[in-house]
Amino acid sequence: MYLSINWLKDFVKIPKKLTPDELASVLTLHTVEVEGWQAQSETYKQVVVGRVLTVAQHPNADRLRLTTVDVKKETLSIVCGAPNVAVGQKVAVALIGAVLPNGLEIKESEIRGEKSYGMICAQDELGLGTDHEGIMVLNDNAKVGQTFADYLGLKDTTLEIDNKSLSNRGDLWGHYGMARELGALLKAPLLPYPQPDEKLLEAEGKAELSVKIENKKACSRYIAVKIENVKTIESPAWLKERLSAVGARPVNALVDITNYVMLDSGQPLHAFDATGISKLGVRYSKDDEGLETLDGKERMLPEETIVITNNNEPIAIAGIMGGAHSAIKDSTESIIIEAATFDAVAVRKASARLNLRTDASMRFEKTLDPHLPEIAWKRAWQIIKGVFPEARLAGVPVDIINFEMEPVAIAVDFSWLKKSLGKDIGRKDTVGILERLGFTVVIEGNVLMVTAPTWRAVKDVSIKEDILEEAARVIGYNEIPSLPLAATLSQLPDNQEMELERKIQDVLSGTGHLSETYNYSFVSESALTKLHFDVNNYLKLVNPISEQHVYLRQSLLTNMLQNVRTNQFNYPEFGLFEIGRVFLPIAGEYYKDEKGELMPYQGKRLGILVAGPDGNNVFNRAKGLAELMLSSLWPQARIELTVLESSPLWVEKGQAAAISCAGKEIGFTGRLSAEVANAFGLKLKVAYVEINFKELMALYLSLPANQYIEAPKYPPVTRDIAFVVDEKILYNDFWKVLIDFHPLIVKAELFDVYTGAGLGEGMKSLAFHLTYQDKERTLTAEEIDLIQADLIKRCQDKFEAQVRDF
Amino acid sequence: MKNKLEKLRDEFLEGLADIKDLSSLRELELKYISRKGKLSGLLSELKEISADLRREAGEAANSVKREMMEKFDEVRASLEKKAEGGFVDPTVPGEKFESGQLHPITLVRRELEDFFATLGFSVMDGPELESEFYNFESLNVPPHHPARDMQDTFYVDIKNKQGEYDLTMRTQTSNEQVRAMQKYGAPLKAIMPGRVFRCEATDARHEHTFYQLEGVVIDKNINFGHMKNILEAVGKKLYGPDTQLRMRPKFYPFVEPGSNGEYTCFLCQGKGCRVCKQTGWLEILGCGLIHPNVMRAGGIDPEIYSGFAFGFGLNRLVMLKYGIDDIRVFNSGDLRFLKQF
């Protein structure tokens, strides 16, 4: 929203020495954010007054003319398309480098073979009206070479306010409200809002006009006034100037006056052509109801849109935009002014559904004071009468009042104010601040009884904390001292989950030399389909913004595969990890609300992905990384890879394993199948590990802390032994037999797997270092021989294993 | 036995004297002193000697073995020295070790977590898929408040019994305020970092998935001045001891009074530059005294306790810290980005 400083000065005295920068800063630090300011003269930078010296026909275009224009410093050749250009006219010339209010940048150009060094401007190009029929001809007192801003007498400066920072302050959406605020901040008195004399409000005659409000909630106030004997003419200069200053395009006097009053008071008004209007109504739209709005678009009305009707036919979308049929036309001679208060929620919803935001809807959706329509229509009438002295009030205004506002005093204890701020503002100052803002204050002992003005009571002021805010922000947040917090020792438990997460991140990015990645929580249908996941089992967004991000991920793999695509041409091999939540359509651990219903599962997962040219190699590395992570957390725990009961469909057949630690399954690993890799366009081989963070956390909480084990005093004995078994015998099954065979066997380390010559078809050799050790004594060769003989027997019985002779 | 040992020794030493290079030394090692060499073979015979003689033989074996090993090591050392001879360039790079990295948001998040821990704050975590109740209603954002607009909030495709969508992807880490109050009550001093979502088209400055860090302090007699103090400390931590805090009113439904917080621009020290858009200030946080309705939703009596809350956008902090100008890189998974931290 734009504010004109001259306009604000209509209502409040702003010290001359206050620069626009300082004024902007006052508002920013105490009320709303000012995004910037601009002297109006800047709007017409590089636009000057010129005199047309010659006009000749363009040799190559019937509708263009070649002109020369004197701009005092020089004489410019300009190609002009306007039919009304003539020798001797004084005109507005945009020089090369000018940027016009409509955004047009003037450059040296060649038009049909003729050079043009500027542009002679039409009214609309200067943001001063709608006229594009011809160039704007200036009056005689224009001086050649004078800046156009100087010619217009523009000395105003405009402030641009961030609309978002006004969202809770419906009262600040007009100059008067903002002037009131400035008055409070600058301690300057506020002039009363201009209203017509009582005499001017006397109606002449009687209008056939009625208003019926079907739904009270939709409309808390509706005033309709018929005004006769007006015309559709151009607005007077002062009015156009004011509107242009704040970026509103002048249209015609009738429309401009309603806009002016909106920008003045904050109350949107609408003017209907009165022709044929007698029975106005306010109701919600019906199914399949539509309306052509005054921007010429046919619009279907969404449900619960408030409409204004005439004889039950919609003629306007309440609070948003009027209809084309009842709009002000060139032929208009009498009008109906509507000043109303519509339900903020309904206007906001309809505006969102229609995708139509207007100056009116932006104000209505903030919740407006229902007292405002009355002073607004009167102000409009006052101006109309000034522009059209012959205009008549045709009948007494129809005024429907559907609201009751009982002023409620808010009790605010002075000592509470002081305690909450950490600063004593003082009684006198507190009262002064509130009164300048329009609050009524009564002091009862230590307590302030504060009554909010109606324009604040409708929306943002209802509790003592609101009063605290008023006092604090007017004084200035920066005037409040910084006070050290008295120590309260934390009584909350340690965050062990964070501790574990950090340990994992550190080992994987450290020893594991992986890069941590963050991916979106959302995945696409096509990616899920390629991985053979069934999208029907996935939670999805109601309102996704792209096809890529529709479903809620159930595995970190999906998006990590996209990471492979991103990196495969820059890095021949790499590893990534991510810790993040996945979402499943089953009950999880968090409550939805106080009723105890559980929300969907959203546990964390750790994903590790390894990509490289060799499939066996990446799978080995992935497994190794999982083991590294686990063994760094629990150096003494047993880590096992076992057959995965139901492998995901994306793994290469048989190339997946469950990962367990200390006897508990906590995740799995698998190698991506060639088919899925192709579907994703991956050139590298990929292996993946996924750990269920919650299971890991359970281990973290349950496994006892590592205990120091004294280094053995007696030497270990290591025997190497290789077994030849069927290749289908799994390492882990075999290993478990070895390691669990005898208490003296403390380690069974695989050091070689061999298949090929000398073993026979379908056989493999597994070679182990077997370590025997006793804490109490040195072992003898004999007893080890005995154990080992039994062990070999056991392996023969269980696996038909043969000892391989090296 | 002793003779056999000495004979073996002499044979070995003779061979050793003829050795000229490391490869023939290795052959000699295999032949005599490796695990399957002649010496081991001889030693294994010790087992068969009668117990009374075994001790003496054992000692002899040890002394022979020691002598052989010493001579062997001497020869090897001198050969190795010879082999390495010549000029050594000490500037040749060492062995190449690949390094891993943490995500830059993890780095900044940890920095802040640790900082707040020194101030006695606990770190908490909460759901990313969140109910309207915790994301909006409990935070004093009633139904139909503009903040709930479908344009801004991702809704999840599960309807409640009334046939409405009431599950969202949380739009702010403030969703944990009331959860924390309900779980731990007052006094409370905690931060809640995490991932948040907005239904918004992405470009260099906008992301639909980003990170925030929320903070809450509740106790008896907490006031606005206390909030300033903590936020000043954060500014000094982030941008150095001379950093100033500037506060100005800003509306958030869950605080009253509400404010935003700006810190002196670290790049120009407040003089005005491109990064701070010539203002000298960087808008970093939102904050305010916790609205009594929010306290009540959390089961805490606002007449007894008071508190403040604040929130930062972590992405913005990271972008300022490292000079990143496109927010989309965070979720890009691109190693050319990830490997820089």
Side-chain angles (χ1 to χ4, degrees):
Chain A
M1 187 175 78
Y2 292 95
L3 289 176
S4 144
I5 292 182
N6 283 349
W7 199 332
L8 292 169
K9 284 178 181 166
D10 284 359
F11 308 120
V12 68
K13 195 168 175 200
I14 297 172
K16 277 217 173 72
K17 57 176 198 262
L18 203 64
T19 64
D21 250 345
E22 287 165 342
L23 187 64
S25 163
V26 165
L27 281 174
T28 294
L29 288 177
H30 301 275
T31 306
V32 291
E33 188 173 347
V34 178
E35 288 188 323
W37 60 270
Q38 195 179 33
Q40 237 182 357
S41 53
E42 296 286 303
T43 319
Y44 296 117
K45 218 174 168 180
Q46 300 280 40
V47 182
V48 299
V49 174
R51 185 202 310 271
V52 182
L53 296 178
T54 62
V55 178
Q57 185 59 41
H58 191 294
N60 306 319
D62 289 348
R63 306 180 105 177
L64 297 179
R65 286 166 187 77
L66 305 180
T67 68
T68 54
V69 182
D70 173 20
V71 293
K72 194 166 177 193
K73 267 192 214 152
E74 54 188 327
T75 300
L76 301 171
S77 302
I78 296 175
V79 178
C80 180
N84 66 333
V85 64
V87 173
Q89 282 171 340
K90 283 181 187 163
V91 291
V93 181
L95 305 175
I96 287 159
V99 180
L100 296 178
N102 64 1
L104 184 68
E105 196 184 333
I106 306 302
K107 292 176 189 151
E108 183 185 320
S109 60
E110 200 175 285
I111 303 167
R112 300 264 181 120
E114 294 291 332
K115 292 252 171 152
S116 184
Y117 298 91
M119 186 173 93
I120 304 176
C121 302
Q123 213 183 32
D124 67 334
E125 288 157 344
L126 293 164
L128 293 174
T130 51
D131 191 0
H132 193 73
E133 288 303 299
I135 54 169
M136 181 176 178
V137 179
L138 310 183
N139 55 30
D140 280 346
N141 53 25
K143 293 192 195 89
V144 174
Q146 184 185 25
T147 67
F148 185 61
D150 199 23
Y151 163 75
L152 287 177
L154 295 180
K155 292 189 184 76
D156 203 353
T157 298
T158 52
L159 302 176
E160 188 182 356
I161 309 288
D162 174 19
N163 286 351
K164 272 192 210 149
S165 72
L166 283 169
S167 61
N168 63 322
R169 292 289 303 271
D171 64 305
L172 294 183
W173 283 76
H175 282 78
Y176 190 71
M178 207 60 97
R180 181 193 297 120
E181 189 73 18
L182 271 175
L185 300 177
L186 301 171
K187 296 189 180 173
L190 178 75
L191 294 174
Y193 191 66
Q195 292 283 279
D197 291 340
E198 282 301 317
K199 223 176 81 190
L200 209 61
L201 292 171
E202 283 167 16
E204 300 172 38
K206 224 175 150 186
E208 294 266 322
L209 190 60
S210 69
V211 176
K212 190 177 170 217
I213 297 175
E214 283 186 20
N215 193 306
K216 287 194 175 187
K217 191 170 168 280
C219 180
S220 53
R221 181 99 190 246
Y222 198 99
I223 300 176
V225 191
K226 189 167 182 182
I227 294 169
E228 290 174 343
N229 221 13
V230 292
K231 283 199 289 268
T232 306
I233 56 164
E234 211 176 306
S235 289
W238 69 266
L239 182 51
K240 287 203 279 188
E241 212 175 274
R242 276 278 164 94
L243 294 180
S244 304
V246 296
R249 192 172 51 92
V251 181
N252 61 55
L254 297 170
V255 171
D256 291 351
I257 290 168
T258 57
N259 281 336
Y260 180 86
V261 174
M262 172 181 74
L263 297 166
D264 202 45
S265 67
Q267 169 68 47
L269 299 176
H270 185 65
F272 296 103
D273 183 313
T275 315
I277 294 182
S278 58
K279 282 187 180 151
L280 287 170
V282 183
R283 63 164 168 82
Y284 290 119
S285 58
K286 297 174 182 163
D287 283 353
D288 295 329
E289 210 162 33
L291 176 70
E292 187 191 346
T293 43
L294 52 76
D295 55 1
K297 288 192 179 132
E298 190 66 45
R299 297 176 191 273
M300 284 312 293
L301 301 175
E303 59 171 342
E304 284 181 58
T305 302
I306 308 171
V307 289
I308 309 302
T309 59
N310 179 38
N311 294 320
N312 210 25
E313 285 300 309
I315 55 167
I317 306 174
I320 302 177
M321 194 179 268
H325 188 69
S326 60
I328 303 296
K329 309 168 188 59
D330 287 346
S331 60
T332 299
E333 286 175 347
S334 63
I335 59 171
I336 290 168
I337 291 206
E338 166 198 279
T341 310
F342 299 111
D343 178 49
V345 172
V347 170
R348 193 177 67 77
K349 275 188 179 171
S351 154
R353 286 174 185 163
L354 287 162
N355 197 16
L356 181 63
R357 295 199 89 204
T358 60
D359 284 328
S361 75
M362 276 195 284
R363 287 171 171 81
F364 280 117
E365 67 182 41
K366 305 295 181 294
T367 307
L368 296 177
D369 179 4
H371 295 89
L372 208 47
E374 187 169 347
I375 60 169
W377 87 258
K378 287 178 181 169
R379 174 75 175 132
W381 167 235
Q382 187 184 27
I383 300 172
I384 289 173
K385 194 70 182 164
V387 176
F388 303 98
E390 307 299 316
R392 288 193 304 269
L393 260 192
V396 182
V398 182
D399 186 354
I400 313 269
I401 296 176
N402 267 338
F403 68 94
E404 279 175 47
M405 277 177 88
E406 282 298 318
V408 179
I410 303 164
V412 188
D413 196 313
F414 274 116
S415 59
W416 177 82
L417 273 180
K418 184 179 160 191
K419 199 178 96 174
S420 302
L421 276 185
K423 179 189 171 79
D424 189 359
I425 299 178
R427 291 183 180 214
K428 207 177 134 209
D429 285 355
T430 309
V431 172
I433 288 166
L434 293 171
E435 286 183 341
R436 284 199 300 279
L437 288 168
F439 290 78
T440 312
V441 185
V442 177
I443 298 181
E444 292 176 3
N446 256 335
V447 176
L448 276 174
M449 296 304 293
V450 184
T451 308
T454 54
W455 58 86
R456 300 298 300 277
V458 284
K459 180 74 191 271
D460 73 323
V461 177
S462 57
I463 55 173
K464 64 178 192 251
E465 284 78 6
D466 297 324
I467 305 299
L468 170 69
E469 178 173 63
E470 294 304 298
R473 70 181 179 82
V474 173
I475 286 290
Y477 289 170
N478 297 306
E479 300 303 313
I480 297 168
S482 161
L483 300 170
L485 203 56
T488 300
L489 295 177
S490 173
Q491 300 171 334
L492 308 188
D494 277 356
N495 188 336
Q496 285 172 303
E497 200 171 307
M498 179 180 88
E499 209 175 87
L500 175 61
E501 213 171 300
R502 285 192 177 196
K503 283 185 179 176
I504 293 171
Q505 287 171 321
D506 287 341
V507 69
L508 291 178
S509 67
T511 323
H513 58 75
L514 301 179
S515 299
E516 187 184 23
T517 182
Y518 283 18
N519 281 302
Y520 292 107
S521 305
F522 312 122
V523 293
S524 69
E525 177 165 355
S526 83
L528 293 175
T529 309
K530 285 175 197 162
L531 284 163
H532 305 293
F533 291 135
D534 182 359
V535 296
N536 293 318
N537 298 331
Y538 275 70
L539 294 171
K540 65 191 269 204
L541 296 175
V542 177
N543 52 338
I545 45 171
S546 86
E547 278 182 14
Q548 294 307 305
H549 300 142
V550 177
Y551 293 91
L552 274 64
R553 65 182 177 187
Q554 296 191 0
S555 163
L556 304 185
L557 175 69
T558 319
N559 281 334
M560 289 180 94
L561 287 179
Q562 305 291 353
N563 296 161
V564 178
R565 264 177 72 105
T566 305
N567 292 304
Q568 61 186 350
F569 294 111
N570 297 318
Y571 297 87
E573 53 187 330
F574 56 87
L576 298 167
F577 76 97
E578 179 176 6
I579 299 174
R581 291 185 188 278
V582 299
F583 305 86
L584 305 176
I586 53 170
E589 56 176 314
Y590 291 110
Y591 289 110
K592 187 168 163 183
D593 50 32
E594 288 146 319
K595 288 174 207 131
E597 191 184 334
L598 289 166
M599 295 198 297
Y601 174 93
Q602 43 188 318
K604 279 185 193 157
R605 297 283 185 270
L606 162 67
I608 298 172
L609 178 142
V610 182
D614 182 275
N616 288 326
N617 192 278
V618 293
F619 194 30
N620 267 336
R621 281 192 59 203
K623 292 192 281 192
L625 284 161
E627 287 161 7
L628 165 72
M629 190 264 295
L630 294 168
S631 63
S632 73
L633 288 169
W634 301 290
Q636 294 158 6
R638 182 189 282 193
I639 300 159
E640 284 179 65
L641 298 172
T642 57
V643 174
L644 193 57
E645 290 306 329
S646 55
S647 292
L649 293 168
W650 52 262
V651 299
E652 192 70 60
K653 195 161 183 293
Q655 305 222 21
I659 301 169
S660 56
C661 182
K664 197 159 180 200
E665 194 172 312
I666 51 154
F668 71 95
T669 177
R671 190 179 144 186
L672 193 73
S673 74
E675 175 242 322
V676 174
N678 275 338
F680 273 87
L682 306 185
K683 305 286 173 225
L684 298 178
K685 304 289 189 292
V686 169
Y688 178 67
V689 174
E690 191 159 280
I691 305 286
N692 184 321
F693 195 83
K694 198 173 173 193
E695 301 290 344
L696 201 65
M697 189 64 208
L699 276 183
Y700 191 65
L701 296 176
S702 68
L703 281 186
N706 285 327
Q707 291 297 307
Y708 167 67
I709 298 170
E710 201 184 351
K713 290 195 190 86
Y714 300 93
V717 176
T718 300
R719 295 277 178 93
D720 290 354
I721 185 165
F723 294 94
V724 178
V725 290
D726 189 300
E727 64 181 2
K728 295 212 173 56
I729 302 287
L730 295 177
Y731 156 81
N732 193 59
D733 295 337
F734 200 90
W735 174 80
K736 276 201 285 196
V737 169
L738 300 182
I739 194 70
D740 294 337
F741 185 73
H742 195 279
L744 291 180
I745 299 179
V746 293
K747 210 155 97 183
E749 190 185 355
L750 181 74
F751 70 89
D752 189 42
V753 180
Y754 173 78
T755 51
L759 292 184
E761 192 70 10
M763 303 299 276
K764 67 179 170 187
S765 150
L766 298 172
F768 291 90
H769 300 302
L770 287 181
T771 306
Y772 295 82
Q773 193 160 36
D774 192 303
K775 280 187 227 163
E776 311 296 334
R777 62 199 173 84
T778 305
L779 295 172
T780 66
E782 288 83 1
E783 60 184 322
I784 291 172
D785 287 345
L786 282 175
I787 297 170
Q788 192 138 320
D790 284 349
L791 175 61
I792 290 167
K793 176 90 175 31
R794 179 80 211 283
C795 292
Q796 279 168 346
D797 292 348
K798 192 165 166 72
F799 301 111
E800 294 176 12
Q802 297 301 317
V803 174
R804 181 177 174 214
D805 202 7
F806 285 98
Chain B
M1 185 70 197
K2 198 178 171 189
N3 287 344
K4 276 190 196 169
L5 281 164
E6 280 169 359
K7 192 167 163 245
L8 185 73
R9 179 194 63 193
D10 294 344
E11 204 180 302
F12 173 74
L13 290 179
E14 246 169 66
L16 197 61
D18 290 339
I19 295 297
K20 295 279 183 296
D21 57 47
L22 284 166
S23 66
S24 45
L25 183 73
R26 171 75 182 146
E27 276 170 33
L28 192 77
E29 184 185 3
L30 285 173
K31 188 171 172 189
Y32 290 95
I33 54 178
S34 71
R35 206 161 47 85
K36 288 187 176 174
K38 285 186 175 179
L39 183 62
S40 294
L42 206 53
L43 292 177
S44 65
E45 288 174 21
L46 280 173
K47 285 190 269 183
E48 281 136 41
I49 299 177
S50 59
D52 47 334
L53 291 176
R54 200 185 291 163
R55 186 188 154 96
E56 194 189 341
E59 275 170 16
N62 274 339
S63 112
V64 165
K65 188 179 175 185
R66 199 180 314 122
E67 191 181 348
M68 287 168 73
M69 292 307 294
E70 273 169 16
K71 295 277 187 214
F72 175 80
D73 288 344
E74 256 170 47
V75 172
R76 184 168 62 184
S78 81
L79 282 175
E80 276 173 355
K81 201 169 172 190
K82 220 198 260 172
E84 280 171 9
F87 180 70
V88 175
D89 179 354
T91 68
V92 167
E95 189 179 337
K96 179 88 184 151
F97 290 92
E98 189 75 23
S99 63
Q101 303 78 23
L102 293 177
H103 195 282
I105 289 182
T106 300
L107 296 174
V108 170
R109 175 178 162 164
R110 283 189 180 190
E111 202 181 315
L112 283 167
E113 284 169 350
D114 293 345
F115 170 70
F116 279 105
T118 67
L119 299 176
F121 283 72
S122 305
V123 183
M124 296 181 49
D125 195 10
E128 291 170 5
L129 191 168
E130 183 58 286
S131 63
E132 276 197 319
F133 177 76
Y134 285 109
N135 196 60
F136 291 131
E137 211 169 303
S138 69
L139 293 172
N140 199 35
V141 183
H144 310 302
H145 188 280
R148 289 198 184 191
D149 268 350
M150 276 283 221
Q151 285 98 320
D152 296 317
T153 309
F154 282 122
Y155 280 83
V156 177
D157 193 15
I158 298 176
K159 286 184 176 163
N160 63 14
K161 283 171 201 137
Q162 288 77 46
E164 293 159 341
Y165 296 118
D166 64 354
L167 293 177
T168 71
M169 298 307 290
R170 66 171 171 190
T171 56
Q172 56 209 1
T173 41
S174 313
N175 71 318
E176 291 177 60
Q177 283 191 19
V178 168
R179 287 185 178 276
M181 291 181 210
Q182 288 177 339
K183 194 164 177 185
Y184 299 109
L188 184 66
K189 212 162 143 194
I191 56 162
M192 303 99 167
R195 173 179 278 210
V196 301
F197 309 84
R198 298 279 165 87
C199 183
E200 186 167 68
T202 55
D203 61 31
R205 300 171 59 99
H206 300 91
E207 246 294 3
H208 61 65
T209 299
F210 54 99
Y211 289 80
Q212 287 184 341
L213 186 146
E214 185 90 357
V216 175
V217 174
I218 297 173
D219 205 341
K220 287 174 182 163
N221 300 319
I222 294 290
N223 65 38
F224 201 95
H226 295 137
M227 173 166 77
K228 279 185 90 162
N229 193 263
I230 292 284
L231 297 175
E232 278 172 2
V234 175
K236 289 179 180 12
K237 159 71 189 166
L238 287 172
Y239 303 121
D242 295 330
T243 305
Q244 301 285 313
L245 168 72
R246 188 172 88 156
M247 297 177 77
R248 51 195 178 82
K250 181 140 188 188
F251 173 69
Y252 301 100
F254 33 95
V255 287
E256 188 75 73
S259 174
N260 81 357
E262 299 169 312
Y263 293 125
T264 321
C265 176
F266 62 89
L267 206 66
C268 61
Q269 268 75 48
K271 289 181 201 75
C273 67
R274 193 184 59 86
V275 168
C276 59
K277 292 188 209 144
Q278 308 305 328
T279 62
W281 298 97
L282 293 171
E283 190 175 336
I284 295 291
L285 57 94
C287 60
L289 297 184
I290 301 172
H291 197 286
N293 290 352
V294 177
M295 299 272 268
R296 277 189 281 267
I300 294 175
D301 185 346
E303 296 303 320
I304 299 172
Y305 289 97
S306 55
F308 61 86
F310 53 88
F312 302 86
L314 285 180
N315 296 61
R316 176 157 161 79
L317 293 184
V318 177
M319 289 170 87
L320 287 169
K321 177 167 181 165
Y322 296 107
I324 297 168
D325 57 10
D326 189 335
I327 193 171
R328 291 168 294 192
V329 291
F330 292 115
N331 295 322
S332 68
D334 192 331
L335 285 164
R336 290 171 298 178
F337 166 72
L338 297 172
K339 279 185 173 290
Q340 292 188 36
F341 301 95

